[in-house]
Amino acid sequence: MATNRRDFLKISGLTLGLSFIDTKSAAAPLLKRFGSNKKQKMTLSFQLYNLKLKHTFTVASNSRTTTPVVLTQIEYDGIVGYGEASMPPYLGETQASVTKFLSKVDLSPFSDPFQLDEILAYIDGIEDKNTAAKAAIDIALHDLTGKILNQPIYKIWGLSKNNTPNTSFTIGIDTPDIIKEKTLEAGNQYKILKVKLGRDNDKEIIETIRSVTDLPLCVDVNQGWTDKKMALDMIYWLKERNIVFVEQPMNKENPEDMAWLTQHSPLPTIADEAVQRLADVKSLHQAYSGINVKLMKCGGMREAHKMIELAHALNMKTMIGCMTETSCAVSAAAQLSPLTDWADLDGNLLITNDLFEGVKIINGKVTLNDRSGIGIRKI
Ligand code: MG
């Protein structure tokens, strides 16, 4: 389904109404226009959209075939930056909550989109939580500022696209025959695979995958192991089978057991559910070897960048992950990937109705392009 821009809700100052945003003038000479004396304003608009999943997505509590998102645009001086909020149901945000949040946003006091610190501090202060809604603003502002400067964000941050990691691709929980089939298929395209563990058949799943591939694997336990000694035994067993790291092995509310496990573990332990925002990182550095940073958890690219820098300063490993998202939010996350040890950026590959083209996975590697902003174009 193509985007109908007339469906975008436009918010200018405190007014709210249906409108059509003309993006054609984006091709005008950008810096010249930006340098004009005419007072410009930023205009936020957004659209609800449902991502269709290629395969039914199953977690312990439910199965689903769609993921709701909200797509944002911030327009300034004829240039449009795109953003996105993705709301998998287990994270607590919905299209209704994001709509409510975005309807409170008033960008009129800010003179231009380069006031990122001030704008994002204001956004963060509107209401607690709502990190996906906040990310949708943050991503659009980054896309917009990059477009005005006519450079990709990774270049503005001084990063090299040569330093991007391989992305892992997740093999879903399934019957052994289907796991083998999916592993063989993914093994042709990816250099590292990710497997969900934490049920009662962990060894069986690993052995099934190991019967068809020697590729490095990472495992995500999603807090599923309850006993630290059993967890350590399992990690030793996994180490013998070329596992790279173990994500969120135990309950996030149990930092003492996690610290013991990390201290004894022969493999890096990575916090996912246990880490959301910048303020969480410092307290985790004894309990985990690294963190999985996701834009929808932390409120966007600017905070994600700070989290990764802080983690490195604390000698922790870093990983950039995503939710099920279009190429908009995934490409935004990918701008950070040259900074990280690992990437798990397969969210846009799991849907059939992407609205954007952006970051690509080529021979398993996150491959950034030279487009300005977050590197996307509408398709
Ligand atoms: Mg995880």
Side-chain angles (χ1 to χ4, degrees):
M1 185 175 71
T3 316
N4 182 346
R5 281 182 293 181
R6 280 166 295 189
D7 291 341
F8 270 77
L9 286 169
K10 182 178 184 181
I11 302 167
S12 176
L14 293 172
T15 62
L16 175 67
L18 288 172
S19 186
F20 177 79
I21 294 175
D22 180 7
T23 57
K24 288 194 178 69
S25 54
L30 306 185
L31 289 169
K32 192 174 163 207
R33 288 174 59 83
F34 184 65
S36 74
N37 291 326
K38 207 173 109 197
K39 174 115 170 79
Q40 299 292 339
K41 64 178 181 182
M42 284 176 279
T43 309
L44 169 67
S45 57
F46 59 91
Q47 178 199 33
L48 312 186
Y49 192 64
N50 287 307
L51 305 181
K52 293 179 187 150
L53 308 185
K54 279 182 191 162
H55 304 287
T56 303
F57 188 82
T58 303
V59 292
S61 52
N62 65 77
S63 292
R64 65 179 205 273
T65 55
T66 62
T67 297
V69 301
V70 176
L71 301 165
T72 53
Q73 296 187 0
I74 298 178
E75 189 267 347
Y76 177 80
D77 202 10
I79 303 168
V80 176
Y82 296 107
E84 177 176 7
S86 172
M87 290 85 64
Y90 54 91
L91 290 177
E93 284 180 83
T94 61
Q95 286 176 329
S97 72
V98 173
T99 297
K100 186 162 162 261
F101 185 91
L102 294 177
S103 299
K104 292 179 184 171
V105 173
D106 175 16
L107 296 176
S108 65
F110 302 100
S111 64
D112 69 71
F114 289 93
Q115 295 177 294
L116 280 167
D117 258 345
E118 288 165 61
I119 299 171
L120 295 175
Y122 153 70
I123 296 292
D124 205 17
I126 290 176
E127 228 178 283
D128 202 16
K129 298 182 178 169
N130 290 286
T131 47
K134 290 170 185 176
I137 303 276
D138 168 286
I139 294 168
L141 282 172
H142 279 87
D143 193 36
L144 182 56
T145 52
K147 282 173 173 164
I148 292 168
L149 295 172
N150 202 23
Q151 292 293 337
I153 294 297
Y154 74 87
K155 281 196 183 179
I156 293 170
W157 284 337
L159 306 177
S160 166
K161 65 178 178 181
N162 296 329
N163 294 337
T164 56
N166 292 322
T167 186
S168 53
F169 183 83
T170 300
I171 305 294
I173 303 284
D174 225 312
T175 61
D177 282 348
I178 293 182
I179 288 178
K180 279 185 197 170
E181 195 183 309
K182 283 180 176 173
T183 303
L184 284 170
E185 198 182 313
N188 292 327
Q189 300 168 64
Y190 300 94
K191 307 283 188 209
I192 179 168
L193 303 176
K194 183 168 176 175
V195 188
K196 297 276 190 183
L197 297 185
R199 299 182 179 196
D200 54 5
N201 59 345
D202 290 351
K203 288 187 178 177
E204 185 192 338
I205 289 174
I206 296 294
E207 276 164 351
T208 300
I209 291 171
R210 277 288 167 254
S211 73
V212 292
T213 184
D214 293 327
L215 278 179
L217 293 178
C218 47
V219 302
D220 188 352
V221 188
N222 291 114
Q223 314 184 75
W225 295 339
T226 50
D227 180 83
K228 67 181 180 183
K229 292 201 170 123
M230 181 283 286
L232 186 61
D233 286 347
M234 190 63 197
I235 293 175
Y236 270 103
W237 186 87
L238 291 168
K239 185 177 187 300
E240 300 304 310
R241 284 152 184 85
N242 194 19
I243 308 301
V244 180
F245 63 78
V246 180
E247 189 173 323
Q248 200 63 56
M250 300 187 71
N251 192 295
K252 65 175 179 174
E253 310 292 353
N254 196 347
E256 291 83 16
D257 280 359
M258 263 317 305
W260 180 90
L261 186 61
T262 296
Q263 200 186 341
H264 292 85
S265 173
L267 294 177
T269 61
I270 306 297
D272 185 8
E273 286 87 341
V275 62
Q276 289 189 9
R277 302 199 56 174
L278 180 63
D280 303 323
V281 178
K282 194 161 177 249
S283 65
L284 292 175
H285 98 281
Q286 305 290 359
Y288 296 85
S289 323
I291 55 169
N292 185 352
V293 177
K294 295 176 183 170
L295 303 186
M296 298 303 144
K297 286 195 301 187
C298 75
M301 299 168 75
R302 193 163 179 83
E303 184 146 330
H305 190 276
K306 291 178 183 174
M307 291 173 76
I308 292 166
E309 296 286 11
L310 176 58
H312 287 164
L314 294 167
N315 204 23
M316 295 175 83
K317 298 281 189 188
T318 56
M319 172 178 177
I320 184 82
C322 64
M323 308 295 173
T324 308
E325 299 162 352
T326 71
S327 289
C328 176
V330 172
S331 299
Q335 302 294 311
L336 291 147
S337 66
L339 280 172
T340 62
D341 298 289
W342 300 295
D344 186 19
L345 295 176
D346 59 0
N348 57 331
L349 308 173
L350 308 175
I351 62 171
T352 59
N353 58 341
D354 203 343
L355 294 171
F356 300 94
E357 181 197 301
V359 64
K360 297 259 186 287
I361 306 304
I362 300 177
N363 292 326
K365 186 176 156 77
V366 177
T367 306
L368 293 163
N369 59 54
D370 292 326
R371 282 190 206 112
S372 59
I374 59 172
I376 58 169
R377 69 174 185 87
K378 281 198 153 186
I379 51 177

PDB file of all heavy atoms in Angstrom, residues 194 196 220-222 247-248 270-273 292 294 297 319 344, ligand 1:
ATOM      1  N   LYS A 194      21.125 -15.405  14.727  1.00  0.00           N
ATOM      2  CA  LYS A 194      20.669 -15.228  16.100  1.00  0.00           C
ATOM      3  C   LYS A 194      19.562 -16.234  16.388  1.00  0.00           C
ATOM      4  O   LYS A 194      18.696 -16.454  15.536  1.00  0.00           O
ATOM      5  CB  LYS A 194      20.146 -13.800  16.277  1.00  0.00           C
ATOM      6  CG  LYS A 194      19.702 -13.458  17.682  1.00  0.00           C
ATOM      7  CD  LYS A 194      19.486 -11.951  17.778  1.00  0.00           C
ATOM      8  CE  LYS A 194      18.957 -11.540  19.126  1.00  0.00           C
ATOM      9  NZ  LYS A 194      18.872 -10.071  19.252  1.00  0.00           N
ATOM     10  N   LYS A 196      16.727 -17.620  19.329  1.00  0.00           N
ATOM     11  CA  LYS A 196      16.006 -17.377  20.581  1.00  0.00           C
ATOM     12  C   LYS A 196      16.029 -18.650  21.431  1.00  0.00           C
ATOM     13  O   LYS A 196      15.593 -19.710  20.970  1.00  0.00           O
ATOM     14  CB  LYS A 196      14.553 -17.001  20.284  1.00  0.00           C
ATOM     15  CG  LYS A 196      14.411 -15.714  19.497  1.00  0.00           C
ATOM     16  CD  LYS A 196      14.452 -14.515  20.412  1.00  0.00           C
ATOM     17  CE  LYS A 196      14.070 -13.246  19.692  1.00  0.00           C
ATOM     18  NZ  LYS A 196      14.180 -12.059  20.538  1.00  0.00           N
ATOM     19  N   ASP A 220      19.726 -15.303  22.182  1.00  0.00           N
ATOM     20  CA  ASP A 220      18.944 -14.355  22.970  1.00  0.00           C
ATOM     21  C   ASP A 220      18.005 -15.162  23.844  1.00  0.00           C
ATOM     22  O   ASP A 220      17.095 -15.825  23.346  1.00  0.00           O
ATOM     23  CB  ASP A 220      18.160 -13.425  22.037  1.00  0.00           C
ATOM     24  CG  ASP A 220      17.476 -12.303  22.798  1.00  0.00           C
ATOM     25  OD1 ASP A 220      17.478 -12.320  24.051  1.00  0.00           O
ATOM     26  OD2 ASP A 220      16.937 -11.394  22.138  1.00  0.00           O
ATOM     27  N   VAL A 221      18.247 -15.110  25.154  1.00  0.00           N
ATOM     28  CA  VAL A 221      17.469 -15.939  26.077  1.00  0.00           C
ATOM     29  C   VAL A 221      16.211 -15.196  26.549  1.00  0.00           C
ATOM     30  O   VAL A 221      15.311 -15.801  27.133  1.00  0.00           O
ATOM     31  CB  VAL A 221      18.360 -16.384  27.264  1.00  0.00           C
ATOM     32  CG1 VAL A 221      17.649 -17.395  28.144  1.00  0.00           C
ATOM     33  CG2 VAL A 221      19.666 -17.004  26.745  1.00  0.00           C
ATOM     34  N   ASN A 222      16.131 -13.903  26.306  1.00  0.00           N
ATOM     35  CA  ASN A 222      14.957 -13.110  26.713  1.00  0.00           C
ATOM     36  C   ASN A 222      14.562 -13.386  28.168  1.00  0.00           C
ATOM     37  O   ASN A 222      13.392 -13.624  28.469  1.00  0.00           O
ATOM     38  CB  ASN A 222      13.766 -13.360  25.783  1.00  0.00           C
ATOM     39  CG  ASN A 222      13.972 -12.792  24.387  1.00  0.00           C
ATOM     40  OD1 ASN A 222      14.056 -13.540  23.411  1.00  0.00           O
ATOM     41  ND2 ASN A 222      14.090 -11.482  24.271  1.00  0.00           N
ATOM     42  N   GLU A 247      22.571 -13.034  24.999  1.00  0.00           N
ATOM     43  CA  GLU A 247      21.792 -11.822  25.288  1.00  0.00           C
ATOM     44  C   GLU A 247      20.742 -12.109  26.353  1.00  0.00           C
ATOM     45  O   GLU A 247      20.033 -13.111  26.284  1.00  0.00           O
ATOM     46  CB  GLU A 247      21.128 -11.372  23.980  1.00  0.00           C
ATOM     47  CG  GLU A 247      20.449 -10.024  24.044  1.00  0.00           C
ATOM     48  CD  GLU A 247      19.969  -9.581  22.659  1.00  0.00           C
ATOM     49  OE1 GLU A 247      20.672  -9.841  21.654  1.00  0.00           O
ATOM     50  OE2 GLU A 247      18.883  -8.993  22.577  1.00  0.00           O
ATOM     51  N   GLN A 248      20.672 -11.223  27.304  1.00  0.00           N
ATOM     52  CA  GLN A 248      19.702 -11.218  28.411  1.00  0.00           C
ATOM     53  C   GLN A 248      19.388 -12.623  28.932  1.00  0.00           C
ATOM     54  O   GLN A 248      18.246 -13.088  28.867  1.00  0.00           O
ATOM     55  CB  GLN A 248      18.398 -10.525  27.963  1.00  0.00           C
ATOM     56  CG  GLN A 248      17.549 -10.040  29.142  1.00  0.00           C
ATOM     57  CD  GLN A 248      18.247  -8.980  29.984  1.00  0.00           C
ATOM     58  OE1 GLN A 248      18.657  -7.961  29.492  1.00  0.00           O
ATOM     59  NE2 GLN A 248      18.412  -9.248  31.279  1.00  0.00           N
ATOM     60  N   ILE A 270      25.066  -9.818  27.214  1.00  0.00           N
ATOM     61  CA  ILE A 270      24.572  -8.542  26.685  1.00  0.00           C
ATOM     62  C   ILE A 270      23.211  -8.221  27.300  1.00  0.00           C
ATOM     63  O   ILE A 270      22.296  -9.050  27.264  1.00  0.00           O
ATOM     64  CB  ILE A 270      24.423  -8.618  25.139  1.00  0.00           C
ATOM     65  CG1 ILE A 270      25.730  -9.072  24.476  1.00  0.00           C
ATOM     66  CG2 ILE A 270      23.952  -7.285  24.570  1.00  0.00           C
ATOM     67  CD1 ILE A 270      26.896  -8.150  24.665  1.00  0.00           C
ATOM     68  N   ALA A 271      23.080  -7.017  27.824  1.00  0.00           N
ATOM     69  CA  ALA A 271      21.791  -6.571  28.374  1.00  0.00           C
ATOM     70  C   ALA A 271      20.896  -6.086  27.243  1.00  0.00           C
ATOM     71  O   ALA A 271      21.331  -5.315  26.394  1.00  0.00           O
ATOM     72  CB  ALA A 271      22.021  -5.427  29.355  1.00  0.00           C
ATOM     73  N   ASP A 272      19.648  -6.555  27.245  1.00  0.00           N
ATOM     74  CA  ASP A 272      18.662  -5.995  26.317  1.00  0.00           C
ATOM     75  C   ASP A 272      17.474  -5.467  27.128  1.00  0.00           C
ATOM     76  O   ASP A 272      17.354  -4.258  27.332  1.00  0.00           O
ATOM     77  CB  ASP A 272      18.232  -7.041  25.281  1.00  0.00           C
ATOM     78  CG  ASP A 272      17.289  -6.441  24.240  1.00  0.00           C
ATOM     79  OD1 ASP A 272      17.096  -5.213  24.239  1.00  0.00           O
ATOM     80  OD2 ASP A 272      16.731  -7.195  23.407  1.00  0.00           O
ATOM     81  N   GLU A 273      16.643  -6.375  27.650  1.00  0.00           N
ATOM     82  CA  GLU A 273      15.511  -5.916  28.460  1.00  0.00           C
ATOM     83  C   GLU A 273      15.982  -5.069  29.650  1.00  0.00           C
ATOM     84  O   GLU A 273      15.259  -4.194  30.123  1.00  0.00           O
ATOM     85  CB  GLU A 273      14.705  -7.118  28.972  1.00  0.00           C
ATOM     86  CG  GLU A 273      13.840  -7.801  27.905  1.00  0.00           C
ATOM     87  CD  GLU A 273      14.591  -8.863  27.109  1.00  0.00           C
ATOM     88  OE1 GLU A 273      15.845  -8.853  27.101  1.00  0.00           O
ATOM     89  OE2 GLU A 273      13.927  -9.701  26.469  1.00  0.00           O
ATOM     90  N   ASN A 292      22.613  -3.897  24.389  1.00  0.00           N
ATOM     91  CA  ASN A 292      21.924  -3.845  23.099  1.00  0.00           C
ATOM     92  C   ASN A 292      21.104  -2.558  23.070  1.00  0.00           C
ATOM     93  O   ASN A 292      20.143  -2.403  23.817  1.00  0.00           O
ATOM     94  CB  ASN A 292      21.021  -5.081  22.954  1.00  0.00           C
ATOM     95  CG  ASN A 292      20.358  -5.158  21.589  1.00  0.00           C
ATOM     96  OD1 ASN A 292      20.436  -4.225  20.786  1.00  0.00           O
ATOM     97  ND2 ASN A 292      19.695  -6.275  21.327  1.00  0.00           N
ATOM     98  N   LYS A 294      18.658   0.125  21.311  1.00  0.00           N
ATOM     99  CA  LYS A 294      17.610   0.205  20.279  1.00  0.00           C
ATOM    100  C   LYS A 294      16.966   1.582  20.336  1.00  0.00           C
ATOM    101  O   LYS A 294      16.656   2.081  21.420  1.00  0.00           O
ATOM    102  CB  LYS A 294      16.530  -0.862  20.520  1.00  0.00           C
ATOM    103  CG  LYS A 294      17.036  -2.290  20.376  1.00  0.00           C
ATOM    104  CD  LYS A 294      15.957  -3.299  20.730  1.00  0.00           C
ATOM    105  CE  LYS A 294      16.489  -4.716  20.644  1.00  0.00           C
ATOM    106  NZ  LYS A 294      15.549  -5.703  21.212  1.00  0.00           N
ATOM    107  N   LYS A 297      13.727   1.972  22.294  1.00  0.00           N
ATOM    108  CA  LYS A 297      13.827   1.873  23.759  1.00  0.00           C
ATOM    109  C   LYS A 297      14.371   3.155  24.365  1.00  0.00           C
ATOM    110  O   LYS A 297      14.001   3.543  25.465  1.00  0.00           O
ATOM    111  CB  LYS A 297      14.810   0.755  24.160  1.00  0.00           C
ATOM    112  CG  LYS A 297      14.338  -0.651  23.977  1.00  0.00           C
ATOM    113  CD  LYS A 297      15.228  -1.652  24.740  1.00  0.00           C
ATOM    114  CE  LYS A 297      16.683  -1.637  24.321  1.00  0.00           C
ATOM    115  NZ  LYS A 297      17.489  -2.712  24.936  1.00  0.00           N
ATOM    116  N   MET A 319      25.990  -3.194  20.908  1.00  0.00           N
ATOM    117  CA  MET A 319      25.244  -3.808  19.816  1.00  0.00           C
ATOM    118  C   MET A 319      24.112  -2.843  19.474  1.00  0.00           C
ATOM    119  O   MET A 319      23.532  -2.232  20.368  1.00  0.00           O
ATOM    120  CB  MET A 319      24.690  -5.121  20.343  1.00  0.00           C
ATOM    121  CG  MET A 319      23.753  -5.824  19.467  1.00  0.00           C
ATOM    122  SD  MET A 319      23.334  -7.362  20.325  1.00  0.00           S
ATOM    123  CE  MET A 319      22.148  -7.976  19.169  1.00  0.00           C
ATOM    124  N   ASP A 344      22.082  -5.975  14.969  1.00  0.00           N
ATOM    125  CA  ASP A 344      20.945  -6.881  14.778  1.00  0.00           C
ATOM    126  C   ASP A 344      19.868  -6.053  14.071  1.00  0.00           C
ATOM    127  O   ASP A 344      18.907  -5.612  14.673  1.00  0.00           O
ATOM    128  CB  ASP A 344      20.474  -7.390  16.149  1.00  0.00           C
ATOM    129  CG  ASP A 344      19.394  -8.437  16.025  1.00  0.00           C
ATOM    130  OD1 ASP A 344      19.245  -9.025  14.935  1.00  0.00           O
ATOM    131  OD2 ASP A 344      18.672  -8.665  17.017  1.00  0.00           O
TER     132      ASP A 344
HETATM  133 MG    MG B   1      16.808  -9.263  22.807  1.00  0.00          MG
END
